[in-house]
Amino acid sequence: MTAETQVALVEDDTGMRERISRVVDADPSLSLAYSASNASDILRWLVDNPIDVLLVDLGLPDRPGLQVISQCRNMQPACAVMVLSIFGDEANMVQAFEAGASGYLLKDGTEADLATHIRHLRAGGSPMSPVIARKLLRRWQAHSGAAPREQAAAKAAGTATVAPERLSPREFEVLDLVSRGFTYVEVGVQMGVSASTVQTHIRNIYGKLDVHNKSEAVFEARNLGWLP
């Protein structure tokens, strides 16, 4: 019989920590060995407790999550580390992977696939939110010879890469309201349209930005300077 994957978690937000803990506890192939709210506690515990997977929030109250990743990898080289964070910028992503993380997921309000991601991580995979994977790919392309050649070929063929299609004024309004926490129904009320119309705008926004959820859409729009 396959042994349970031993998981530890460090997350300072109580609600998020409890939700993640429930996901791990509910999966028979996983076992939550320890959860902590700060870096000091998890690092003390890791000294004498070998685990398979560590889930790390980057924004910890006492020291950066990046330090936790690095020290965990030094103490337990066999432990796979995955970031769970609201930070999707390139600097945090690169620093996390350089510190020793093997996976990077953005918090988007759902933990439905987290258990699957943990199993993939344990099996040698590198789970990443789509927006993180795209940034990593773009970074690799920018530092390799492939991107310039591909861009030159595309330009010669008249298909050079362009920025994402700009949103319409109504789509901007929808995304702005959604980014401020309004539900689709509330957005519809403010705009004087039905919730289904709002959902249609959301689908169009996702398509133009090549994203799959609200967190990615808001992040991409901010990255492009379309949202404050």
Side-chain angles (χ1 to χ4, degrees):
M1 184 175 181
T2 304
E4 292 179 336
T5 295
Q6 298 296 307
V7 181
L9 162 69
V10 56
E11 164 64 63
D12 67 318
D13 182 270
T14 302
M16 178 62 70
R17 188 170 64 252
E18 291 176 350
R19 290 197 296 274
I20 294 172
S21 298
R22 284 195 295 269
V23 170
V24 175
D25 285 335
D27 192 295
S29 69
L30 307 177
S31 175
L32 184 64
Y34 187 72
S35 67
S37 61
N38 59 71
S40 298
D41 286 350
I42 192 68
L43 290 173
R44 276 195 300 267
W45 185 85
L46 286 171
V47 172
D48 299 312
N49 296 276
I51 55 170
D52 301 309
V53 171
L54 176 64
L55 306 178
V56 180
D57 177 29
L58 295 182
L60 299 174
D62 51 345
R63 70 179 76 177
L66 294 170
Q67 291 184 18
V68 174
I69 297 171
S70 179
Q71 291 186 47
C72 173
R73 295 293 293 152
N74 288 332
M75 288 187 287
Q76 300 193 29
C79 175
V81 181
M82 182 154 62
V83 171
L84 300 178
S85 180
I86 61 171
F87 302 120
D89 58 285
E90 183 173 313
N92 275 296
M93 174 196 73
V94 171
Q95 290 172 5
F97 286 126
E98 288 178 343
S102 297
Y104 199 119
L105 301 177
L106 294 179
K107 298 175 184 176
D108 60 2
T110 176
E111 293 77 46
D113 299 321
L114 180 58
T116 300
H117 290 316
I118 293 173
R119 289 194 297 272
H120 287 172
L121 184 76
R122 174 60 174 152
S126 296
M128 283 179 262
S129 295
V131 66
I132 296 298
R134 285 197 300 276
K135 287 182 179 298
L136 195 62
L137 177 59
R138 290 169 187 163
R139 181 178 176 82
W140 173 80
Q141 289 174 333
H143 288 80
S144 72
R149 288 197 299 271
E150 291 169 357
Q151 290 170 0
K155 184 175 182 179
T159 58
T161 302
V162 296
E165 182 182 352
R166 193 166 179 83
L167 306 183
S168 71
R170 295 293 269 177
E171 289 165 351
F172 272 118
E173 186 177 359
V174 168
L175 187 56
D176 177 59
L177 291 170
V178 168
S179 74
R180 287 153 53 190
F182 292 104
T183 66
Y184 292 171
V185 172
E186 292 169 338
V187 171
V189 170
Q190 292 204 39
M191 295 180 61
V193 299
S194 67
S196 62
T197 297
V198 173
Q199 290 176 325
T200 298
H201 285 310
I202 289 293
R203 283 194 296 271
N204 292 338
I205 291 168
Y206 287 3
K208 289 181 177 181
L209 294 177
D210 190 24
V211 298
H212 301 86
N213 58 53
K214 181 183 73 174
S215 296
E216 291 180 14
V218 172
F219 177 81
E220 283 291 328
R222 284 177 176 159
N223 195 45
L224 290 164
W226 293 355
L227 286 176

